[in-house]
Amino acid sequence: MENNRRQKLKYVQFILMSSEFVPKSMPISRKRPWLFRNSNRIFESRTVKNGLVELFIKAFFRNSSQIFSYLQIIGVSVTAIIILPPIWMKWLMYVLFLLIMKKWLDSIWSIVTSKPLLVALSPEEDGMFSAQKQVLKLFLAPAYILVGLIATLATMVAYIF
């Protein structure tokens, strides 16, 4: 009886000590997302490519920190392009923006596709590669166009003044 009690006490002490070294996970909040509440299909045809693109779109827009980061990268780049005085620095900032935004979206893609549900798909599959290309086009095009227009307008204003 006493031996059993000592074992339980040691076990509790072990659990308490080990909990200090294990990082605590954030509690999952079960709020309903603003977009895609009913999770209807975006694409009518069901292919691997369309499924992955749909998964990324929904995962991206349901995560407010990713949306905020996307807008923040655009905002910082636009502000830098407007503030920087020499024209060559404006265009250098635009090129840096292109590289940073592509690298950031690639990392978001790898985070979304590394979920345990998608482990069965190999990254070398044609559907996975073409879905990644489509997602990059879909998310990079508006950002590239917006920041490119701002860079063009800032260049024109710099030539005038």
Side-chain angles (χ1 to χ4, degrees), residues 76-134:
V76 167
S77 300
V78 165
T79 304
I81 287 172
I82 291 172
I83 290 175
L84 290 172
I87 293 172
W88 66 270
M89 286 182 91
K90 293 177 188 298
W91 288 101
L92 178 67
M93 184 63 207
Y94 180 67
V95 170
L96 287 174
F97 165 74
L98 298 177
L99 297 173
I100 289 169
M101 186 60 92
K102 179 165 183 341
K103 189 68 176 169
W104 181 77
L105 275 172
D106 281 338
S107 69
I108 298 296
W109 172 264
S110 65
I111 289 170
V112 169
T113 56
S114 69
K115 300 296 181 200
L117 189 66
L118 297 174
V119 171
L121 292 174
S122 66
E124 292 82 26
E125 277 191 44
D126 289 336
M128 183 80 93
F129 182 70
S130 61
Q132 184 179 12
K133 281 179 29 179
Q134 185 174 354

Side-chain angles (χ1 to χ4, degrees), residues 16-86:
L16 290 175
M17 285 177 45
S18 65
S19 67
E20 294 175 12
F21 301 106
V22 176
K24 294 185 171 133
S25 61
M26 296 294 292
I28 298 172
S29 64
R30 293 289 182 187
K31 294 185 286 185
R32 288 181 60 103
W34 290 353
L35 297 172
F36 307 113
R37 283 181 183 221
N38 298 329
S39 192
N40 295 329
R41 292 183 178 166
I42 296 174
F43 302 108
E44 208 157 296
S45 64
R46 301 306 293 167
T47 62
V48 172
K49 176 184 160 189
N50 287 347
L52 288 170
V53 171
E54 182 176 319
L55 170 78
F56 185 85
I57 291 170
K58 289 179 179 182
F60 184 85
F61 283 112
R62 285 178 178 166
N63 190 340
S64 60
S65 68
Q66 290 175 353
I67 296 171
F68 181 71
S69 296
Y70 182 78
L71 296 174
Q72 191 174 25
I73 293 170
I74 293 172
V76 167
S77 300
V78 165
T79 304
I81 287 172
I82 291 172
I83 290 175
L84 290 172

